[in-house]
Amino acid sequence: MHILEKKEITQKSSPPSQREISIDIFKGFLMIWVIHLHTVFGAAQSYIPDRICQISLLIDVPVLFFISGYLMKVKPIKIAWKDSLSKIFNFYLKYLLISTLIGCLVCLFFLVNQQTPPDVINAVLSMLKINPQGKFWDRVTVYGGGLWYLRTYFPVIFIAPVLSHFRAFPKRSFDLIFIAIVSLCLLQYFSKNTYWFWGFDAQYISFYLVIYLMGNLYHQIEPSLKIRDLSMLVVGSICLLWACLMFTHAQPIPQVYKFPPSYPYFIFCLIPINLFIGFKRYWKFPTTPLLQQFAWLLEWCGKNIYSIYLIQGLVCSIPFYFVAHLVRILPIPIVYVLLFGFNLSFTLLVTCGYLKLERMAIVMMEAKRPQSLNA
């Protein structure tokens, strides 16, 4: 955690470029959209029309894999693996810390209701595997359900440096990465119900590794792309989606193909990917004070996306305990606005508090180091 914190401090000394700001703002928008999705598919799913739910899924988490691949820097394989392991280690530590805090709150919930926390040993073991399960974690269902992203992201960033190392051979890089993507597509087809990495589903890993490599590949060719090329990408994505729906009899329902991910879902993922490409290329920082404040909020969310993603899983689980009462007395649109407003504001508030405590802990740890060295 302290490594990530130091990185943020050093970045403040040099002003970020327009490109970096646009990426953080888009990631912040995605994080708020995830809260919207967990509002719609969480407590609100029982009374929100299904069509609205499915339209909401057209923008989803997979584009984050594309952005991560886009931001991946090519380094010697040993250094790249060291960086990946450092990132996994820091993220896993933060996950354990937040999960432990959430677990303490769940225990407190049981004790207040004069109940004994059920199956604590299984709850701890499943938490260590990034797959919280059992009656203990059922009290915060959205939190456990959203951790598939973490279980997939860690193996992806561990494997990707090997494939990106092919870029050391410039003349062959495009061909080699293209072959790797095709191979992973085949693996994704034949890897159903097989597991790697301590129970991680190989189908998820291979699917999102393809999207991750696409982001890295796009970063290579981006400087040479013109408006005509970007327009062809958009048109090609629309044509692929139309062909998939017309000739394969696929349903226009992204949720059907998301768990586990399949080829129709890959085509749905092209929609937010094109949205990110267009936004990054043409976005300009607003001049209106109100829009500037909103842009700064999105940028902050983008920079702290990992902490927000974990904490919103806890917050979005809370409406399960009072949504039924709201549905009986209020119209559906008002209920959604209240739930989304609660989930968003409470998530940001809790995240701010957590980050302040984290910074205080880092400062205290760094203050003690010179004393121990002098001793």
Side-chain angles (χ1 to χ4, degrees):
M1 287 184 289
H2 66 279
I3 296 175
L4 296 177
E5 188 68 24
K6 286 181 179 178
K7 185 176 181 182
E8 291 181 3
I9 294 173
T10 54
Q11 285 177 346
K12 290 180 182 178
S13 59
S14 58
S17 65
Q18 190 86 347
R19 180 193 67 81
E20 292 172 340
I21 294 176
S22 66
I23 293 175
D24 284 333
I25 287 177
F26 192 86
K27 288 165 64 179
F29 161 75
L30 284 175
M31 193 63 257
I32 292 177
W33 192 262
V34 167
I35 295 175
H36 157 73
L37 289 176
H38 286 164
T39 302
V40 169
F41 282 92
Q45 189 179 10
S46 58
Y47 57 90
I48 292 291
D50 186 66
R51 181 174 298 179
I52 295 178
C53 296
Q54 299 306 324
I55 292 175
S56 297
L57 276 177
L58 292 177
I59 301 175
D60 204 353
V61 170
V63 69
L64 288 176
F65 284 92
F66 184 88
I67 295 174
S68 296
Y70 176 88
L71 294 174
M72 183 180 67
K73 296 180 180 179
V74 178
K75 302 176 182 178
I77 190 166
K78 290 184 179 180
I79 298 177
W81 256 346
K82 183 178 178 181
D83 291 345
S84 294
L85 290 174
S86 176
K87 181 183 291 187
I88 291 172
F89 178 76
N90 285 301
F91 281 3
Y92 185 67
L93 278 183
K94 179 172 284 193
Y95 156 76
L96 286 181
L97 177 58
I98 293 177
S99 296
T100 302
L101 294 174
I102 293 174
C104 292
L105 291 176
V106 174
C107 286
L108 183 62
F109 174 86
F110 281 107
L111 294 175
V112 168
N113 288 276
Q114 297 181 349
Q115 298 176 1
T116 302
D119 202 2
V120 176
I121 295 177
N122 179 57
V124 173
L125 292 177
S126 62
M127 180 191 74
L128 294 175
K129 295 180 181 180
I130 323 180
N131 191 21
Q133 293 180 347
K135 294 181 180 180
F136 183 92
W137 293 106
D138 285 345
R139 296 297 177 178
V140 283
T141 53
V142 177
Y143 180 72
L147 291 178
W148 69 267
Y149 173 79
L150 230 61
R151 295 195 301 271
T152 306
Y153 183 69
F154 287 171
V156 165
I157 64 174
F158 182 78
I159 298 171
V162 180
L163 301 176
S164 67
H165 187 63
F166 291 148
R167 287 178 62 182
F169 311 97
K171 296 181 179 179
R172 302 284 296 173
S173 61
F174 185 89
D175 296 336
L176 289 170
I177 292 180
F178 178 77
I179 292 171
I181 290 176
V182 173
S183 301
L184 288 167
C185 287
L186 294 174
L187 173 64
Q188 197 272 336
Y189 178 78
F190 290 109
S191 62
K192 295 181 180 179
N193 300 321
T194 59
Y195 295 88
W196 302 342
F197 299 98
W198 202 6
F200 295 102
D201 195 335
Q203 192 171 1
Y204 284 79
I205 296 170
S206 56
F207 181 89
Y208 289 105
L209 186 54
V210 170
I211 295 179
Y212 190 95
L213 290 174
M214 283 178 55
N216 188 250
L217 185 59
Y218 173 75
H219 186 73
Q220 295 183 55
I221 64 176
E222 181 185 24
S224 61
L225 292 179
K226 300 179 181 179
I227 297 179
R228 180 186 62 184
D229 301 318
L230 296 176
S231 302
M232 290 179 63
L233 285 175
V234 175
V235 173
S237 300
I238 295 173
C239 291
L240 276 175
L241 181 59
W242 176 82
C244 178
L245 297 176
M246 291 296 296
F247 299 109
T248 65
H249 304 290
Q251 304 178 52
I253 305 176
Q255 187 181 13
V256 175
Y257 308 104
K258 182 177 179 180
F259 299 111
S262 56
Y263 292 113
Y265 188 64
F266 176 81
I267 297 175
F268 283 116
C269 291
L270 296 178
I271 296 174
I273 287 174
N274 280 289
L275 183 63
F276 165 72
I277 291 173
F279 180 83
K280 195 188 76 64
R281 186 155 184 132
Y282 298 108
W283 178 85
K284 294 182 179 180
F285 201 84
T287 55
T288 309
L290 182 61
L291 292 178
Q292 286 180 351
Q293 293 289 336
F294 185 63
W296 287 329
L297 173 63
L298 291 179
E299 184 185 1
W300 180 84
C301 292
K303 289 180 177 179
N304 298 286
I305 189 170
Y306 183 72
S307 299
I308 297 174
Y309 186 85
L310 292 175
I311 292 172
Q312 61 83 31
L314 166 66
V315 175
C316 292
S317 300
I318 297 175
F320 279 94
Y321 297 96
F322 58 81
V323 63
H325 177 70
L326 293 178
V327 172
R328 288 195 297 267
I329 61 177
L330 295 173
I332 292 176
I334 295 179
V335 172
Y336 166 76
V337 171
L338 290 175
L339 290 179
F340 178 71
F342 170 82
N343 289 339
L344 178 60
S345 58
F346 199 37
T347 295
L348 298 182
L349 182 64
V350 174
T351 303
C352 285
Y354 168 79
L355 291 175
K356 286 184 178 179
L357 291 175
E358 187 181 78
R359 291 191 186 99
M360 289 172 59
I362 292 170
V363 171
M364 291 175 62
M365 290 173 61
E366 291 182 346
K368 290 181 179 180
R369 283 180 184 173
Q371 296 177 3
S372 61
L373 290 175
N374 293 331

